[in-house]
């Protein structure tokens, strides 16, 4: 609903904070009591709802962040929302499957697809695509290896879209921003949409402060 939503935990207490304009540092907060133990970092959103996993991977849904309903699904990781559809992954007996909520047909993930530690989604539109894309960067493969690839989803299929990976990273923050470029002939300045990826952990588990720009 066009709001920023933040879930925090302090001790045994949880707090939901919302803001119409985070740039003004104007947040409304409320303490939340969960009927389960939430995985705070798994909080994610589609266009119409919030989702979170509990400590055992059960998926829950909420429209206000206060009341939560069981989705009758067990996932290992949430990637993010594409419109009103939530995308994630579940572990089967011998491998991992792409899954959605509301549920659709499952499919096995690619061998080099991340199953944990990905950045959040960023929506990306271009004049050369028929539909919107969501993209994510980094993460951990099923074999535990850290990757630096960028994967995208266009509403029907996943694809690895980076021609060259960044340094190996998991848990990065990815967001849209902009940069300015100056024409040295006319000295006119133009504004360009830019993707920025920050931080995360390298393949040895050490926190990093690198900034990547595309």
């Amino acid at each position: 609903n066009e709001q920023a939503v933040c879930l925090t935990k302090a001790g045994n207490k949880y707090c939901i904070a919302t803001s119409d304009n985070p740039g003004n540092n104007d947040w409304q907060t409320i303490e939340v009591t969960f009927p389960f133990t939430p995985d705070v970092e798994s909080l994610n959103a589609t266009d119409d709802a919030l989702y979170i996993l509990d400590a055992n991977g059960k998926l829950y849904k909420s429209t206000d962040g206060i009341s939560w309903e069981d989705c009758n699904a067990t996932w290992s990781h949430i990637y993010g929302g594409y419109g009103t559809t939530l995308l994630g992954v579940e572990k089967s007996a011998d491998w991992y499957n792409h899954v959605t909520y509301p549920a659709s047909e499952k499919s096995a993930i690619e061998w080099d697809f991340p199953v944990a530690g990905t950045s959040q989604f960023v929506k990306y539109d271009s004049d050369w695509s028929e539909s919107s894309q969501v993209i994510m960067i980094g993460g951990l493969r099923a074999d535990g290896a850290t990757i630096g690839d960028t994967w995208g989803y266009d509403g029907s299929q996943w694809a690895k879209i980076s021609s060259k990976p960044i340094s190996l990273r998991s848990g990065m923050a990815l967001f849209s921003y902009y940069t300015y470029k100056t024409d040295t002939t006319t000295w006119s300045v133009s504004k360009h949409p830019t993707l920025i990826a920050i931080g995360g952990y390298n393949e040895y588990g050490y926190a990093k402060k690198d900034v990547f720009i595309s």
Side-chain angles (χ1 to χ4, degrees), residues 3 12 35 50 61 73 81 85 90 93 104 119 130 136 139 157 160-161 164 183-184 196 204 206 209 211:
Q3 284 189 320
N12 293 320
L50 296 167
K61 175 183 178 180
T85 300
E90 69 170 13
S104 62
S119 74
E130 296 180 354
M136 62 185 185
Q157 62 183 353
K160 184 163 60 177
I161 62 174
K164 180 182 178 182
D183 186 320
T184 55
I196 298 180
Y204 305 109
Y206 294 115
K209 296 182 180 179
V211 178

Side-chain angles (χ1 to χ4, degrees), residues 98-111:
H98 290 291
V99 286
T100 65
Y101 185 88
S104 62
E105 185 174 347
K106 302 176 184 179
S107 61
I109 66 165
E110 299 77 1
W111 72 270

Side-chain angles (χ1 to χ4, degrees), residues 15-196:
C15 178
I16 286 278
T18 59
S19 177
D20 294 320
N21 188 346
N24 290 338
N25 198 26
D26 180 21
W27 293 84
Q28 294 75 49
T29 62
I30 185 171
E31 189 174 316
V32 180
T33 300
F34 287 91
F36 53 89
T37 301
D39 175 4
V40 172
E41 293 186 2
S42 71
L43 181 70
N44 227 300
T46 60
D47 287 350
D48 60 354
L50 296 167
Y51 292 89
I52 199 168
L53 301 177
D54 74 4
N56 298 312
K58 290 188 67 175
L59 180 66
Y60 290 84
K61 175 183 178 180
S62 175
T63 56
D64 58 9
I66 301 171
S67 300
W68 294 85
E69 62 177 278
D70 188 345
C71 296
N72 295 314
T74 300
W75 293 7
S76 56
H77 184 63
I78 296 175
Y79 296 114
Y82 185 90
T84 58
T85 300
L86 188 71
L87 306 176
V89 63
E90 69 170 13
K91 192 175 189 311
S92 62
D94 52 2
W95 193 232
Y96 290 84
N97 295 319
H98 290 291
V99 286
T100 65
Y101 185 88
S104 62
E105 185 174 347
K106 302 176 184 179
S107 61
I109 66 165
E110 299 77 1
W111 72 270
D112 52 349
F113 195 83
V115 299
T118 57
S119 74
Q120 76 278 19
F121 275 169
V122 167
K123 185 179 178 183
Y124 184 79
D125 293 301
S126 92
D127 294 335
W128 298 275
S129 61
E130 296 180 354
S131 58
S132 297
Q133 288 188 84
V134 287
I135 64 174
M136 62 185 185
I137 193 167
L140 303 172
R141 291 190 325 219
D143 62 3
T146 306
I147 65 171
D149 300 311
T150 302
W151 285 82
Y153 179 79
D154 66 356
S156 61
Q157 62 183 353
W158 287 96
K160 184 163 60 177
I161 62 174
S162 52
S163 58
K164 180 182 178 182
I166 63 168
S167 303
L168 304 180
R169 292 288 185 273
S170 64
M172 298 194 80
L174 178 68
F175 58 93
S176 299
Y177 203 60
Y178 51 84
T179 52
Y180 291 96
K181 293 184 179 180
T182 302
D183 186 320
T184 55
T185 302
T186 63
W187 297 107
S188 60
V189 178
S190 57
K191 183 178 179 180
H192 294 264
T194 302
L195 293 169
I196 298 180

